[in-house]
Amino acid sequence: MDEEFRSLADRLADEADAAGESAAYRTLLATEDGEELARVLVEPERPLWAREMAAFRLGCDGDRRAFEALVLLLNHRDPERCVSAAHALVCLGDPRTPRAAAALATNTLRTAYALLPVRLLTALRAPESVPALMSTLERLLDPGDPHWRVALACVEGLGQLGDERARPLLAAALPHPRLGGAARDALGRLDAV
């Protein structure tokens, strides 16, 4: 069991225990049957913890049936669910992932939940990554915007991706009180390329 799976298993064990579903939890944790896990994703009235466990395990095993559930979890209000979903999506390697992450990162109505989609886009290094990060950052450059952590992740991601198209936007972030240092670092990375 790797660190991500251990963390997920511990968190979901607490949720299952609180719901009085410890036996069902142990079954899902132990099963090696992909069909059983896939059924959990489509059966009605399954609790969120069970769907998350099934989607994570299937995603990490490269089973594309987990894709839609993982994308929904990537956009969840609970950051821990987002982290687990992002990890499983990277393992899954589905070609739809960059487009889905870009849609979540750029959705103006869900900016508060865009941090993990932004980080996922950086990790994926897909053609959609730089345009989505630039679009998201551009609308968050106002120093009074409450979503500065998302903006910071965009700046850091653009620095890691090293794409010259981001230079003007990174320069515009220099005076921002919370983004300036990261913008300087990102521009330094561009200069070093």
Side-chain angles (χ1 to χ4, degrees):
M1 191 182 297
D2 70 15
E3 186 60 35
E4 287 294 332
F5 188 24
R6 187 176 301 109
S7 174
L8 172 108
D10 290 345
R11 178 171 50 82
L12 297 185
D14 292 341
E15 290 183 32
D17 285 346
E21 298 175 315
S22 297
Y25 166 83
R26 287 191 296 276
T27 299
L28 279 181
L29 184 66
T31 188
E32 295 299 325
D33 184 354
E35 294 305 317
E36 181 179 355
L37 293 170
R39 278 193 301 276
V40 171
L41 297 179
V42 297
E43 288 175 350
E45 299 181 22
R46 282 294 197 143
L48 181 58
W49 70 261
R51 292 183 194 279
E52 183 179 1
M53 172 72 77
F56 182 89
R57 294 199 56 208
L58 287 169
C60 289
D61 286 343
D63 189 321
R64 290 191 178 171
R65 292 176 289 185
F67 176 76
E68 290 176 7
L70 291 171
V71 169
L72 289 172
L73 290 164
L74 181 65
N75 195 36
H76 198 275
R77 67 182 174 271
D78 180 352
E80 290 179 319
R81 293 197 198 285
C82 299
V83 168
S84 295
H87 175 81
L89 282 164
V90 169
C91 293
L92 180 60
D94 191 296
R96 300 170 290 177
T97 301
R99 188 172 48 245
L104 294 175
T106 58
N107 183 339
T108 58
L109 300 176
R110 301 290 291 172
T111 303
Y113 307 107
L115 183 61
L116 269 297
V118 163
R119 289 183 177 158
L120 177 57
L121 282 166
T122 302
L124 293 173
R125 297 182 163 274
E128 296 88 344
S129 297
V130 170
L133 296 186
M134 288 177 61
S135 173
T136 302
L137 176 59
E138 188 170 24
R139 64 184 164 79
L140 301 177
L141 280 178
D142 181 336
D145 192 290
H147 305 297
W148 64 269
R149 285 180 181 86
V150 175
L152 180 60
C154 289
V155 170
E156 292 170 345
L158 290 168
Q160 289 174 36
L161 294 171
D163 192 306
E164 276 294 327
R165 293 176 291 175
R167 186 178 291 278
L169 197 53
L170 292 170
L174 286 171
H176 191 289
R178 290 185 162 129
L179 306 179
R184 267 189 300 285
D185 291 348
L187 287 166
R189 284 178 173 230
L190 289 180
D191 292 338
V193 173

